[in-house]
Amino acid sequence: MKLILIGFGVVGQGFAKILLEKGDDLGARHDFSAQIVGVVTASKGQLYHPDGLDIAHLLRTAETGSFADYPESELLQRDWDANDMILRGSADVLLEASPTNLQTAQPALATCHLALDQGLHIVLANKGPVALDYGGLRAKADARGLHMRYEATVMAGTPTMHLAQDALAGCAIRSARGILNGTTNYILTQMESGMTYAEALAQAQALGYAETDPTADVEGWDAAGKVLILANALFGSSLTMRDLDVRGITDISPEDIDQARQSSLRYKLIAEATPVGGMVSPQRLPVSDPLASVGGSTNAITLDTDLLGEITLIGAGAGKLETGYALLSDLMAIQRET
């Protein structure tokens, strides 16, 4: 597979590191081979080579903050943007791993549509296009016989979409509810140990779990984007952000946490998608609920099915290698199905 990678931050570098370290094993065990022929970033520059870029060089130059030190070689293109690579280059799959925009999904959404128009499969870690235009992208991919996969958009490499769409094929899923934001789960876990909201947030920021501006996480918008993905992908909905009831954790006090504990309850920020809608809100769960026991930055999702009842999947919802693996798993699925 020849790949164009949009974005080379934590996720892109994690994916490249996996290819570098596991390439021989993937070839021997799964007959899987992939080349990164193009990389486009907003801050480091861009590179394209039809015979594949050297991943070790990519990772080393990324550490310096720029691709300027990538060795020159015949046919190397430094000035092509994403459109140039899609229109003039040679690739099989576009990997979209640039920062998420949940307001317009741009410029990633336009790039994904162009890739499909040119016959490329698309694999996304960027939530924006899937959350805001799932129906449009899916219809175009299906009409052209192309694959659109997005495992990384919900729980990083924890195989949420694979479980729901592939492993549970034949079951009717009645709802999907879970802890889909590690930052808020970490904060609530620390508040149970006696911290105030402000103290827990500061610690989450110090550890890199929360951004300098944590609004998208703590007010529920990151989880809301994942609700849209689940609702539109699993139930064929056409929901938008305006259709969701979204509340975050900023108003929860240590007193609220204590009162819940005294009643054998535990606060969690729950994101839920059903065939008729979706929501994000802090909820007091019985300690017997599998989601109540999920602490720290870990994510979890419970799928309620008609044939198997409730199935809960627990795992990492973020991380360099974890999210990079989601891209790999989607590519391997495309290889199996093509």
Side-chain angles (χ1 to χ4, degrees), residues 38-58:
V39 180
V40 179
T41 75
S43 60
K44 299 178 179 67
Q46 48 276 329
L47 299 167
Y48 174 85
H49 196 290
D51 298 325
L53 297 164
D54 185 293
I55 295 178
H57 285 321
L58 271 181

Side-chain angles (χ1 to χ4, degrees), residues 111-275:
T111 303
C112 288
H113 274 289
L114 179 63
L116 291 172
D117 288 337
Q118 296 301 309
L120 278 68
H121 307 291
I122 58 173
V123 171
L124 297 100
N126 185 334
K127 293 184 288 294
V130 194
L132 301 190
D133 191 29
Y134 176 87
L137 291 171
R138 170 57 65 202
K140 184 172 286 188
D142 289 347
R144 287 160 172 74
L146 297 168
H147 291 277
M148 166 190 167
R149 299 191 69 96
Y150 41 90
E151 184 65 73
T153 62
V154 178
M155 280 174 55
T158 303
T160 311
M161 302 313 302
H162 173 74
L163 173 64
Q165 295 178 309
D166 300 327
L168 292 178
C171 287
I173 297 176
R174 296 180 289 218
S175 69
R177 56 185 286 270
I179 299 166
L180 301 182
N181 182 271
T183 300
T184 52
N185 203 45
Y186 180 84
I187 291 171
L188 291 173
T189 300
Q190 296 308 104
M191 289 179 70
E192 284 190 44
S193 68
M195 287 188 180
T196 65
Y197 168 80
E199 291 169 339
L201 172 59
Q203 186 174 89
Q205 290 170 321
L207 293 170
Y209 296 150
E211 301 289 343
T212 303
D213 179 1
T215 302
D217 291 322
V218 299
E219 293 188 0
W221 298 110
D222 173 74
K226 297 172 182 179
V227 168
L228 290 182
I229 293 169
L230 290 166
N232 296 335
L234 299 185
F235 305 123
S237 304
S238 55
L239 298 179
T240 69
M241 283 291 186
R242 293 186 297 274
D243 300 315
L244 304 182
D245 177 17
V246 180
R247 290 179 290 138
I249 65 167
T250 54
D251 293 333
I252 297 176
S253 68
E255 291 74 25
D256 295 327
I257 299 286
D258 287 338
Q259 289 175 6
R261 183 188 297 113
Q262 291 169 15
S263 301
S264 297
L265 301 171
R266 182 169 286 151
Y267 269 99
K268 296 294 179 184
L269 184 68
I270 298 298
E272 182 170 10
T274 72

Side-chain angles (χ1 to χ4, degrees), residues 3-9 12-17 19-20 34-41 44-49 51-71 76-78 85 95 320:
L3 314 174
I4 295 171
L5 182 55
I6 310 298
F8 203 64
Q13 291 177 45
F15 170 71
K17 183 176 173 62
L19 281 189
L20 180 65
Q35 292 178 319
I36 299 174
V37 296
V39 180
V40 179
T41 75
K44 299 178 179 67
Q46 48 276 329
L47 299 167
Y48 174 85
H49 196 290
D51 298 325
L53 297 164
D54 185 293
I55 295 178
H57 285 321
L58 271 181
L59 290 170
R60 279 197 293 271
T61 55
E63 290 176 358
T64 69
S66 171
F67 290 147
D69 294 330
Y70 186 90
L76 182 70
Q77 301 286 346
R78 292 183 181 273
M85 292 187 192
L95 305 181
K320 183 175 185 176

